[in-house]
Amino acid sequence: MSEATGTGKRVALVLGSGGARGYAHIGVIEALEARGYEIVALSGCSMGALVAGVYAAGQLGAYRDWVGKLDYIDVLRLVDVSWSPMGAMRANKVMAKLESLIGETLIEELEIPVTTVATDLVRQREVWFQSGPLLQAIRASIAVPGVITPVHLGEQVLVDGGLLNPLPIMPTISAQADLVMAVNVTAHSPHPVSLEALLPPEEAAEEAAREEEGGIAGWFEEVRRRTQRWFSSTEDDSDNGGAKAARQRAWGRLEMVLASFDITQATLAKYKVAGYPPDVLIEIPKTVCGAHEFHRAEALIRLGRHLADQALDSYETTPEGVQMAVHVGPKVATLAPVSESVPGVAGEQTMIDEAELRAPDAETADDATGGEASEEDSSGEDRGMASS
């Protein structure tokens, strides 16, 4: 639980990783603002870091307008295939757009405190960016291993923070907020759940029609062609079904990387929630869409707003003076006393070493770049500012 300030409307917001599903974070922010909540601290990983940074820089509206207009072909044009063995794509085109929005903004200059999380492959530790260039922090946090090339910062090789901490709740626990809200967009679900199944019926029908009209089959075929070079094989494709079969195999490998990463993040997120239960937890199953389906922004934004409204309805109707944790997932909104396990992680909480929870293996960007290491508090946790 966060330390209450008395207003009841100050939120520390945690935005998790999850690729395209991270568009739902925009809808959550819209729901909070529509109800008069004030976001006083932000923590994000991967796509969550991107949305958090853009919002804190005051450019979420412009970013929303841009992604809301992207169709299959527009997304394809943003794919800049890399010849590097460290990743299939450079993400230069996406970063150029972000640069046009946030420029050379420094994290410490933002009106809202922001922490973005990356992973250092050299030291095998998570890195918190709390100062320095915002654009660089976002780029490091979105570098999905093997898919987007990493960021080299001093001796660090930085990749997606979701590798170790897909739902970075801990940076927000000291915020002067009335509640901590976490949005997990890589949640496990007992059965596959589609995006349409979670949307209100009229919006679900609209999204299904849009997908049907979009010609997704042709789009996937072109993506396969463009990514084929990165996954090229020494095998003779003529003996295994020809060029078309080779393209299908190539895309299958990329999809396997993303799906494997999703599974890992979903499991890690459960442990983070068990260790630091938020006041409000919104969970979006990883099955609602692929991490690469960036053409579905509008539907995912609507989904985020819809689930956030459900969560806030439950939170706001909790009797005054009673501390309850709100959990919203696929077609469910539940309340539980904050002393109990958060729904969805029962039975796993005891598997976590308590010492590990109190002393996470995290560092700041200065720690591996020759800068002076910040002091650690009694819990062993590094709370210094990360910079370039």
Side-chain angles (χ1 to χ4, degrees):
M1 285 289 291
S2 52
E3 183 179 347
T5 62
T7 64
K9 291 284 190 177
R10 292 167 60 85
V11 181
L13 186 60
V14 182
L15 304 178
S17 60
R21 293 184 298 273
Y23 282 141
H25 297 320
I26 300 174
V28 172
I29 291 174
E30 289 178 350
L32 287 168
E33 290 191 327
R35 290 172 179 248
Y37 285 85
E38 177 188 4
I39 298 173
V40 297
L42 285 158
S43 177
C45 175
S46 197
M47 191 64 175
L50 190 159
V51 173
V54 171
Y55 174 73
Q59 295 297 322
L60 187 63
Y63 178 75
R64 188 202 194 287
D65 290 342
W66 176 57
V67 298
K69 296 174 183 176
L70 296 177
D71 60 18
Y72 306 109
I73 302 303
D74 295 325
V75 173
L76 180 63
R77 291 184 180 126
L78 293 172
V79 176
D80 49 354
V81 177
S82 168
W83 290 100
S84 169
M86 301 189 77
M89 307 168 193
R90 296 182 295 268
N92 288 346
K93 295 179 181 179
V94 173
M95 296 310 297
K97 177 61 181 180
L98 292 179
E99 185 175 14
S100 72
L101 294 176
I102 63 180
E104 299 179 357
T105 301
L106 299 177
I107 297 175
E108 61 268 29
E109 295 175 350
L110 298 170
E111 294 185 4
I112 305 173
V114 173
T115 300
T116 71
V117 178
T119 301
D120 180 10
L121 290 180
V122 176
R123 294 193 176 187
Q124 302 174 34
R125 301 176 69 179
E126 66 183 82
V127 178
W128 293 2
F129 285 87
Q130 296 175 321
S131 66
L134 176 60
L135 201 66
Q136 182 183 65
I138 292 173
R139 176 61 178 81
S141 192
I142 68 171
V144 180
V147 178
I148 297 178
T149 53
V151 170
H152 296 266
L153 184 60
E155 296 180 357
Q156 295 173 312
V157 179
L158 301 175
V159 296
D160 196 314
L163 191 61
L164 289 177
N165 192 354
L167 195 64
I169 301 171
M170 190 174 175
T172 66
I173 60 177
S174 61
Q176 297 297 307
D178 297 296
L179 70 145
V180 173
M181 173 183 283
V183 187
N184 175 20
V185 296
T186 59
H188 280 300
S189 59
H191 306 285
V193 180
S194 68
L195 175 56
E196 291 79 10
L198 293 179
L199 287 170
E202 63 279 4
E203 294 183 3
E206 179 183 334
E207 174 62 12
R210 194 183 73 84
E211 284 294 289
E212 185 69 24
E213 294 172 1
I216 191 169
W219 182 72
F220 272 125
E221 186 65 24
E222 181 62 14
V223 171
R224 290 187 185 115
R225 185 187 66 80
R226 290 211 178 192
T227 57
Q228 178 187 4
R229 291 177 297 174
W230 183 59
F231 293 100
S232 60
S233 171
T234 56
E235 296 177 2
D236 183 1
D237 291 335
S238 62
D239 296 334
N240 296 279
K244 183 176 180 180
R247 288 197 296 270
Q248 290 173 341
R249 285 196 301 275
W251 177 249
R253 293 167 190 165
L254 175 58
E255 205 162 32
M256 184 182 297
V257 170
L258 294 173
S260 300
F261 197 48
D262 273 350
I263 293 170
T264 301
Q265 290 181 104
T267 301
L268 286 172
K270 283 187 177 184
Y271 286 92
K272 297 302 178 181
V273 169
Y276 299 95
D279 302 291
V280 178
L281 174 63
I282 298 173
E283 294 206 301
I284 297 175
K286 63 182 182 295
T287 58
V288 297
C289 76
H292 57 278
E293 294 186 62
F294 288 96
H295 61 285
R296 308 187 73 177
E298 282 298 334
L300 288 160
I301 291 170
R302 290 197 299 268
L303 176 61
R305 182 159 188 163
H306 175 61
L307 294 181
D309 282 334
Q310 287 185 348
L312 292 171
D313 284 344
S314 297
Y315 175 78
E316 292 170 358
T317 55
T318 301
E320 187 175 354
V322 178
Q323 293 186 335
M324 306 290 285
V326 179
H327 171 254
V328 173
K331 295 186 178 180
V332 62
T334 60
L335 293 169
V338 295
S339 60
E340 294 183 3
S341 301
V342 175
V345 295
E348 293 179 295
Q349 202 163 356
T350 57
M351 296 170 62
I352 305 172
D353 186 273
E354 292 183 1
E356 180 182 347
L357 291 174
R358 288 194 297 269
D361 194 16
E363 66 177 23
T364 61
D366 274 343
D367 292 344
T369 57
E372 182 179 354
S374 59
E375 295 183 2
E376 296 182 354
D377 62 18
S378 59
S379 69
E381 136 200 352
D382 193 342
R383 292 183 179 278
M385 295 297 185
S387 60
S388 60

